[in-house]
Amino acid sequence: MKFVDINKIIVPRSFKESNPSEHKILRKRKYYYYHGEFDNLIKVEEVKFWFWKKYILWDGYISYLIAKENNIKRISVVCI
């Protein structure tokens, strides 16, 4: 696990176009508020190109959204 700048995470179009259920979002938001952590790991693929590094989101889109809405700058991820 490592901490990465949330702005370096690239969200694939398939995630952006999806509509997660409100129930699932509320459940994950509630878990975050009670426990101070996400209920599942955010999984990313690390992509390097000479002088820059980005991360492509593979799993944990709702957790990513919750982090964004709470203005979290760095999040813990698992690189796959």
Side-chain angles (χ1 to χ4, degrees), residues 12-38:
R13 182 181 297 163
S14 60
F15 283 124
K16 290 179 182 180
E17 293 175 350
S18 70
N19 291 316
S21 73
E22 189 63 31
H23 172 72
K24 189 173 182 181
I25 294 170
L26 290 173
R27 180 175 50 82
K28 289 178 172 284
R29 191 180 286 147
K30 185 176 178 180
Y31 185 94
Y32 175 74
Y33 290 135
Y34 281 120
H35 299 281
E37 62 186 19
F38 302 113

